[in-house]
Amino acid sequence: MPHSARVWNYWLGGKDNYPADREVGDHIRAANPMIADIAVAQRAFLVRTVRHLATHEGIDQFLDVGTGLPTADNTHEVAQRVDPTARVVYTDHDPLVLTHARALLTGSPEGATDYIDADLHDPERIIREAAGTLDLNRPIALMLLGITAHVVDDDEAYALVRRLRDPLPSGSFLVLCDDTNVIAPTEMDEMIRQWNESGENPRINRTPERIAGFFEGLEMLEPGLVSVTQWRPEPTEVGSPRPLDDFGAVARKR
Ligand SMILES: C[S@@+](CC[C@H](N)C(=O)[O-])C[C@H]1O[C@@H](n2cnc3c(N)ncnc32)[C@H](O)[C@@H]1O
């Protein structure tokens, strides 16, 4: 069976995937050639947001839910490059992610990196187990990149994210992004149709307005909810990065 984390790894150019993952990956990419750019742009968003939080917002604890297979510039590497004492907990429900994460997601000696094999549908367990590594009395950045699309019902998805947000103290952050269908609707909707036919964990595209629902009650940092390529992009020599159908934001809990 194809698996989300491994198909994603294939689009990112990684080697941790099987023929079933590559077959679905190729099929979807034929319908939506932008998907590989979205995968790369989402990882670049992770790098810029973690670096911003560690450098400018004093965040030294990260809870990354829906980690994916380890790749270059994982959350702990970006955070510990800024602050070697940063503490990072990863969570995913894919058993292959668990095996690779145990081997590869080892952090700096001064900091801490841990991995929890848990499902987004059990937020209380994620929080309880994360508390073994993170101090829940101090601000934490909760990272949900490309995972909420797997909870297709809006109310259920909002409630799950709320149950992860609520136990975190004031001064914590939510970093969240997910697929949309406002820039290339035909390609994005066709991608979802094919994905859901593949037998994998179903996904959904949400409009930016529906993605904004995850941030209700939080204070968004500039520039707000935008295509991930346009969230504080690195300076480029010519022009500005092209918007893609993956929108995200960074927001502070008051
Ligand atoms: C599109 S990948 C994103 C990976 C990574 N966050 C990134 O931005 O590159 C989605 C990840 O979410 C994980 N995932 C999907 N549903 C999940 C669930 N219910 N509980 C935990 N992890 C889940 C998948 O296994 C996969 O690794």
Side-chain angles (χ1 to χ4, degrees), residues 202-213:
R203 288 180 68 88
I204 189 176
N205 290 321
R206 290 194 163 88
T207 59
E209 293 71 27
R210 286 165 70 193
I211 293 178

Side-chain angles (χ1 to χ4, degrees), residues 65-187:
V65 182
T67 308
L69 286 159
T71 170
D73 279 335
N74 301 293
T75 301
H76 75 283
E77 288 157 336
V78 181
Q80 291 176 353
R81 226 176 277 146
V82 178
D83 176 358
T85 69
R87 305 177 81 80
V88 178
V89 173
Y90 292 107
T91 306
D92 205 287
H93 70 163
D94 184 322
L96 192 78
V97 172
L98 173 69
T99 315
H100 284 255
R102 290 242 158 95
L104 295 176
L105 298 177
T106 53
S108 67
E110 305 92 323
T113 307
D114 197 9
Y115 182 83
I116 304 170
D117 180 22
D119 201 290
L120 175 63
H121 293 88
D122 192 355
E124 286 72 26
R125 172 161 167 234
I126 294 176
I127 294 292
R128 198 171 54 245
E129 295 196 15
T133 301
L134 307 179
D135 178 357
L136 293 190
N137 297 310
R138 294 200 306 109
I140 291 172
L142 169 64
M143 318 275 306
L144 291 155
L145 306 192
I147 177 174
T148 47
H150 285 290
V151 184
V152 298
D153 179 80
D154 280 5
D155 290 339
E156 184 188 9
Y158 295 153
L160 290 172
V161 172
R162 271 273 175 189
R163 282 156 64 192
L164 286 171
R165 274 171 49 177
D166 283 353
L168 306 183
S170 157
S172 292
F173 284 85
L174 172 65
V175 183
L176 184 147
C177 66
D178 237 325
D179 291 347
T180 54
N181 54 1
V182 289
I183 291 163
T186 310
E187 290 86 348

